[in-house]
Amino acid sequence: MSQPKTILITGASGLIGSPLCLALKARGHTVRTLSRGDGGDFQWDPAAGTMDASAVEGVDAIIHLAGESVAQRWTAAVKERILNSRVASTRLLVEGALKQSKVPGYIAASGISYYGIDRERSVDESSETGRGFLAEVTRQWEGAAQQLETAGSRCVYLRTGIVLSAKGGALAKMLLPFKMGVGGRIGHGQQKMSWISLDDLVQIYVFAVENEAVRGPINAVAPEPVSNNIFTKTLGKVLHRPTIFPMPALVVESLFGEMGRETVLSNLGVKPKRLVDLGFQWQQPQLETALSKSI
Ligand SMILES: NC(=O)c1ccc[n+]([C@@H]2O[C@H](COP(=O)([O-])OP(=O)(O)OC[C@H]3O[C@@H](n4cnc5c(N)ncnc54)[C@H](OP(=O)(O)O)[C@@H]3O)[C@@H](O)[C@H]2O)c1
């Protein structure tokens, strides 16, 4: 066990933040939360460019999860909020962190969409970035912390895959049709899905907090991506339901537009090379076990 640390978390009320706060406290760390609402220990309003300056004072690390949800139809205004909520908030944190006598570490959520929308071969952290709106968001989101890296801070960017949880995210949305027996593959079903159980993702954040060797971009995914066909069959098996109703790509596009193309229809086989090299141990490396424990 590493020395107890004082950690500031943004987006602590969210799907990942809630169990992460509990896990960090259970490991003996002190957690401070920074929120737009009254529920946090400290307040900020990234859209207005304001933050309670004392939030960052004396912290060993910042974990930055906050950001407008991606899972909505992307109008021009929504796209602006998705981008600005991440970039403007990062700038506020960087500004506050650089005023400290000891610059804190910085661990931020990012997305595997950094690698684009459609990759023929598997990608790892050494792969180049790809095309698409979300790829641009992740580049700017990670890039906004550059000044901290230059100032000597240990910066970690967790390029996160599809998080498996019944409480939110992609799986929660898929559960109802699958439980009703009207689930099925999406599009042609051959697109690769890079997933991670919420339990393992929380442990990856704890690992990043406690291990100084963790730095730079880290793919936060399970060791083996699967095709949407395999994901669909495995979910049906775990739920004991048929999966014979495919959702054609055209239907996805008309329902969700660009968001659908860049998420459920995207083809990204992402390998967690850095986590393997660092010796991280997944508790749920197999999809069937991870799905059983998530639903
Ligand atoms: N879940 C996934 O599958 C997944 C995959 C890849 C990457 N990620 C990234 O990981 C991070 C955390 O994910 P999550 O699933 O825990 O997200 P979440 O449940 O949507 O929670 C995000 C938190 O961000 C804050 N927030 C929401 N809208 C905001 C806005 N417009 N401006 C500033 N703050 C805002 C909220 O906290 P307050 O109300 O307290 O301010 C909220 O609790 C996100 O940045 C997400 O993009 C998630």
Side-chain angles (χ1 to χ4, degrees), residues 5 107 154 156 158 203-214 218:
K5 294 188 163 136
I107 299 164
R154 179 170 71 92
V156 183
L158 292 177
Q203 289 314 313
I204 292 169
Y205 274 94
V206 173
F207 184 73
V209 165
E210 296 182 354
N211 291 278
E212 293 291 316
V214 182
I218 303 278

Side-chain angles (χ1 to χ4, degrees), residues 131-152:
R131 68 192 169 88
F133 168 66
L134 288 180
E136 180 60 28
V137 169
T138 52
R139 282 193 296 271
Q140 290 199 35
W141 192 9
E142 293 183 9
Q146 186 56 52
Q147 259 187 298
L148 266 186
E149 264 191 74
T150 311

Side-chain angles (χ1 to χ4, degrees), residues 73-94:
R73 219 171 211 287
W74 292 352
T75 61
V78 166
K79 282 170 100 168
E80 200 178 311
R81 280 206 301 278
I82 290 172
L83 177 68
N84 287 346
S85 62
R86 288 170 172 81
V87 176
S89 58
T90 303
R91 288 199 185 118
L92 277 176
L93 292 169
V94 168

Side-chain angles (χ1 to χ4, degrees), residues 9-19 33-37 39-40 44-47 64-70 81-82 84-86 89 108-113 141 158-164 168-171 196 198 201 205 220:
I9 306 195
T10 74
S13 57
L15 180 72
I16 299 166
S18 304
T33 60
L34 180 59
S35 170
R36 293 164 307 157
W44 70 343
D45 182 351
H64 183 26
L65 304 173
E68 173 82 14
S69 173
V70 166
R81 280 206 301 278
I82 290 172
N84 287 346
S85 62
R86 288 170 172 81
S89 58
S110 180
I112 54 169
S113 41
W141 192 9
L158 292 177
R159 294 179 183 160
T160 308
I162 300 159
V163 180
L164 301 187
L171 179 63
I196 180 79
L198 180 56
L201 180 60
Y205 274 94

Side-chain angles (χ1 to χ4, degrees), residues 253-267:
E253 293 199 18
S254 63
L255 284 175
F256 306 112
E258 191 182 4
M259 192 276 279
R261 276 197 298 282
E262 291 209 13
T263 56
V264 288
L265 291 173
S266 73
N267 174 35

